[in-house]
Amino acid sequence: MTALTIAGLRKNYGSVAAVDGIDLEIPKGCVFGLLGPNGAGKSTTFKCVLGLIRASAGRVLFAGAPFSPAALERTAYVPERSVLYDWMSVREHIGYMKNSFTGFDPERARELLAQFGVGDESKRVRALSKGMRTAVAVALAFARRVDLLLLDEPTSGLDPVNQRSVLNLIINEAAQGTTVVFSSHQIGQVERAADRIAVMQRGRIVLEGIVDDLKAGRKIVEGILPSDDFSVNGLASDARIVRLERNGRILRAFVTEQPDDVAAHMSALGAQGLRVVDLSLEDIFLDAVAPKVTTASVVEEA
Ligand code: ATP
């Protein structure tokens, strides 16, 4: 069942298309990772989905219908920048949330705050560190009973232990049927938590799919060249190689088929220490957002 449908969504700021016609179908109970370089349009997408800013075009449906007040009551959003009130204490925020949302559970909020190491409820938000503010915003969102969680960089500024806690919360929520859409620049975290991803670039979706499917059917053959200026032109005609990356003496070939044969080919050309490895989500991301390269052209990495 589809939880969230985004169709032809567009948002222009003057001549800038922050979101340039995106389509997404996000299944119920899925953890959906939204990736993209700075300025790709991720935050704008979140805001358009919730109607916080008016889209220039397109439709957003939740469970097949436009967002109703009841659906919004069942949706939690953690924006990229804190929406907490500086002058209010953590305790006052808990009270405020309790008054604002019927599904808010103050005990659950306290439990999560303690887990994140924010035990002192009397503290005003202005006295909290950046990471603690993020932790409070996340704890308040997760203390609501919702069907949809939209989290814009929810681990930003958190220490590794709290980052791990947020990921576990995301995974647990989804296991109970909540649909979670989150953005992050931490690709390893997205790889750990997300079932599906979309990569945005300049307002468009450049890659989308189930993480395991995106990894399937491609391998990387890695090898070490005898010298920095060693020519790999001999690989130019190897149609099995869809992309070559070279970083000094290290050569990485992205291959779609017969990785062992490609390794043999690279070995015959003089490469050593050859090994075939799986693609990581980071490889997939970089492949999607890097300038498109033609077969066997060489990308010199910095
Ligand atoms: P980041 O990863 O850096 O947070 P993002 O993918 O969330 O980036 P957005 O914040 O959605 O990107 O921005 C997308 C584009 O829209 C950028 O070019 C940005 O400068 C532009 N933009 C965003 N908000 C506004 C605004 N209020 N007015 C004008 N331009 C805006």
Side-chain angles (χ1 to χ4, degrees):
M1 196 177 111
T2 302
L4 194 62
T5 307
I6 298 174
L9 189 69
R10 192 177 293 280
K11 176 67 187 176
N12 299 323
Y13 286 113
S15 60
V16 176
V19 177
D20 196 7
I22 66 167
D23 299 286
L24 285 174
E25 294 261 338
I26 300 178
K28 182 179 177 333
C30 150
V31 178
F32 193 93
L34 194 54
L35 292 164
N38 290 128
K42 304 179 297 294
S43 298
T44 307
T45 300
F46 281 120
K47 290 179 202 160
C48 288
V49 164
L50 286 163
L52 297 173
I53 51 175
R54 191 190 292 267
S56 308
R59 286 186 316 152
V60 177
L61 304 175
F62 181 66
F67 269 98
S68 61
L72 284 171
E73 171 80 25
R74 305 280 296 171
T75 301
Y77 168 54
V78 176
E80 187 181 15
R81 285 185 200 88
S82 167
V83 282
L84 305 174
Y85 297 105
D86 264 1
W87 64 91
M88 273 167 58
S89 67
V90 175
R91 183 177 296 119
E92 284 166 337
H93 275 89
I94 294 176
Y96 171 76
M97 291 293 286
K98 190 169 180 300
N99 292 336
S100 306
F101 299 102
T102 47
F104 182 77
D105 178 349
E107 279 322 302
R108 176 78 177 135
R110 292 195 174 96
E111 207 179 285
L112 292 173
L113 286 166
Q115 189 182 325
F116 286 129
V118 190
D120 184 357
E121 281 178 32
S122 64
K123 267 202 172 174
R124 293 201 185 279
V125 166
R126 76 164 73 89
L128 298 177
S129 70
K130 178 175 179 279
M132 285 161 100
R133 284 171 203 226
T134 304
V136 172
V138 169
L140 295 175
F142 277 90
R144 290 179 53 199
R145 265 192 309 278
V146 294
D147 299 320
L148 178 64
L149 267 166
L150 300 175
L151 310 170
D152 197 353
E153 297 187 33
T155 58
S156 156
L158 294 183
D159 65 42
V161 174
N162 281 342
Q163 288 187 13
R164 181 56 70 99
S165 295
V166 172
L167 289 186
N168 288 340
L169 283 170
I170 288 175
I171 293 165
N172 287 338
E173 278 294 318
Q176 290 165 43
T178 307
T179 307
V180 186
V181 185
F182 80 112
S183 70
S184 177
H185 289 292
Q186 309 284 324
I187 298 178
Q189 295 183 357
V190 177
E191 184 157 26
R192 180 156 175 270
D195 320 310
R196 288 173 176 259
I197 58 142
V199 177
M200 284 188 81
Q201 188 177 33
R202 289 189 283 275
R204 301 208 168 143
I205 306 269
V206 291
L207 186 76
E208 199 239 316
I210 297 169
V211 176
D212 289 342
D213 290 355
L214 294 171
K215 287 184 184 178
R218 280 204 293 172
K219 295 276 183 190
I220 295 175
V221 185
E222 283 183 352
I224 300 166
L225 299 170
S227 64
D228 278 1
D229 55 0
F230 191 83
S231 168
V232 289
N233 288 345
L235 293 172
S237 59
D238 194 326
R240 297 164 298 197
I241 300 176
V242 290
R243 174 184 175 85
L244 266 182
E245 283 178 4
R246 181 174 180 168
N247 185 359
R249 289 174 57 201
I250 298 172
L251 185 66
R252 303 175 88 219
F254 290 61
V255 301
T256 49
E257 52 188 309
Q258 299 164 317
D260 294 332
D261 292 355
V262 172
H265 187 182
M266 286 165 67
S267 172
L269 285 173
Q272 293 156 4
L274 287 151
R275 58 187 197 132
V276 176
V277 295
D278 289 333
L279 260 72
S280 66
L281 191 56
E282 186 178 27
D283 291 316
I284 293 167
F285 173 80
L286 291 174
D287 193 28
V289 300
K292 281 289 166 229
V293 288
T294 52
T295 303
S297 57
V298 175
V299 178
E300 298 284 354
E301 286 186 341

